[in-house]
Amino acid sequence: MCGIVGYIGPRDATPIILNGLKRLEYRGYDSAGLAIVVEDRIEVRRDAGKLARLEELVRAEPVSGAPGIGHTRWATHGSPSVRNAHPHRGSNGRVVVVHNGIVENFLELRDELRAEGVQFSSDTDTETIVHLVEHHLAIGHDLTEAARRTFGQLQGAHGIVLMSADEPDKIVCARIGNAGGVVLGLGEGENFIASDIPAILDHTRQVVFLESRQMAVVRREGVEITSLDGVPVTMRGNVIAWDAAAAEKGEYRHFMQKEIHEQVRSLTDTLAGRVDLHEGRIRLPELNLTPDQACRIRRILITACGTAAYAGMVGKILIEKIARIPVEVQIGSEFRYSDPIVDENTVVLAISQSGETADTLAAMEEGRRKGAVLWSIVNVVGSQAMRISDGSISMQTGPEIGVASTKAFTAPLVDQYMLAILLADLRGTLDEKTRRALVADLRLIPDLAGRTLEREAEVEKVAWALKDVRDCLYLGRGINMPIAYEGALKLKEISYIHAEGYPAGEMKHGPIALIDENMPVVCLAPKDPWHEKMISQIQQARARGGTVIAVATDGDEVVADQADHVLWVPVTPWMLSPVVTAIPLQMLAYHIAAIRGLDVDQPRNLAKSVTVE
Ligand code: M6R
């Protein structure tokens, strides 16, 4: 979950690292630090808290040189403090390391090192890494070999970057397991290392992703990748299409707001080249799917976490309705422990913005182990989830920086709708007229999202009315039930207001006891097949004195009469309605958090990519 940046080349590493860390701060903001080789020594600057504190420190105590490495931390072992901030130095100060992941056997390793007389100066598991490297250097190995031997001793999943003042011509890094990516950025006479692409986009778009159990020796002139056993690996380069501006806030106050507004564009991009209106067909060549393979599928298991899992719940309804294939949704953290029934006729479909979420990757690995076909819907091109899949659909949303996921929620709704049509078409279970109508509806979606976004000012007014509430209930049914979960998650994660999403029909079985004048109830009541049922639910909430905020379709006077506030959405085909109903709830959560003066993009305790179990 931490952010890592490294630079080797002729330029001063300090601004490159600070700028890269700024782009990665969404990955962790408990502390930040950097280490720079200056002449024949290493200088370290680090501080607790956000990156701004480190920037202040560097202004007060400037440091320049190269190579250099930097880190933003999401604390696992040891409190967020200066002593636990990365980079960590070895005993003689000649070697430094930054790390993302957990050294699972660190207690054991620390005891062994202490027995050799090593003194620890932090509470972190990471510090064991640098002492182990020193140990191997002391017995005569060079940095590369010392690092390799150290990597072999570590249990758990890791991204590790280290360097030594005695071998300033190289930085050594490794990826072990699924602790988040290690990306090498290739420049001319200079090279970069990062845990995520935005950190290096200002400098290069040529990147190479390290696979698990690979390490790299990065020099000014080039990069050498080997397995941890020393076997050379042929590099497979990728060119990143995003530009650096895509990772800037621009005119918006927060990334989250910008990303909410980017949904017209992201939805347009996710449709581009995939919708054939003339033939009335969907094309997803990235899935490499033949009619024969499509016909063999007996079951689809969608696995994901958080917002992505709610997208999967919508997908279940779409795939079952359109393609008539049974679908289950299993959250990533439960999947591998549930002994899922999986065989070669099962597709495990992972949904992940980052493509690096540890629980989702573990679920995919479990699916692979049991012989399933692996598909993924992923935003970050080249991420682990994409690489290990048999077929993958790219969300095409561009970088999502705000910790609260928004545009990476709506794109996979559309991706799953397209997937459902494609599966039905290949299996021959959809008549042409229906297929053409479903495909034609897709072209409406960017415009419908745009019209929903135009109502931001009205949503903001409702946000002012709700800004001081302590609790909030979100109710939905059918295809909009997952949107109730998602709306509640958005509110709780950025505004710290307790919010619960609930299937509206279940309200009378318990949660109705909570409803009084202090409990606002957000009711998803667009014109979908569950509309009538939602109206009676709204009436029940009203009868208990709850303030009702309804998400309703333009012109729906019945709902308007029953609700205290209405968040209007345009008339939308019901299977695509979650795309538009999610948007006012994103804006509502955003504005409530912004009015409360909270750190919308970096909410407390959270990180963008959750790369620990
Ligand atoms: O990168 P992923 O989509 O796999 O991330 C999954 C969740 O961690 C993520 O959706 C999380 O719930 C967001 N903070 C929600 O806004």
Side-chain angles (χ1 to χ4, degrees), residues 305-308 351-355 357 360 403-405 489-490 493 610:
C305 302
T307 287
I351 305 175
S352 177
Q353 187 286 131
S354 60
T357 299
T360 306
V403 164
S405 192
L489 176 62
K490 285 289 89 81
E493 71 179 326
V610 183

Side-chain angles (χ1 to χ4, degrees), residues 476-513:
R477 290 190 83 138
I479 200 161
N480 277 289
M481 187 178 77
I483 307 307
Y485 298 155
E486 171 59 6
L489 176 62
K490 285 289 89 81
L491 186 67
K492 75 181 105 179
E493 71 179 326
I494 59 168
S495 73
Y496 317 142
I497 293 170
H498 165 241
E500 258 188 88
Y502 228 82
E506 278 288 292
M507 186 176 71
K508 56 189 176 295
H509 299 290
I512 198 164

Side-chain angles (χ1 to χ4, degrees), residues 209-243:
F209 297 93
L210 285 193
E211 301 290 345
S212 178
R213 306 200 62 75
Q214 288 183 351
M215 61 183 280
V217 177
V218 181
R219 295 188 169 82
R220 280 168 76 143
E221 317 74 43
V223 167
E224 264 169 52
I225 304 179
T226 61
S227 69
L228 290 192
D229 307 322
V231 180
V233 170
T234 314
M235 282 205 288
R236 275 190 299 150
N238 293 265
V239 180
I240 301 302
W242 314 336
D243 59 14

Side-chain angles (χ1 to χ4, degrees), residues 5 13 38 214 225 234-235 303 366 375 390 422 441 611:
V5 185
V38 182
Q214 288 183 351
I225 304 179
T234 314
M235 282 205 288
T303 189
E366 177 70 3
W375 290 348
D390 299 306
L422 177 67
D441 284 346
T611 55

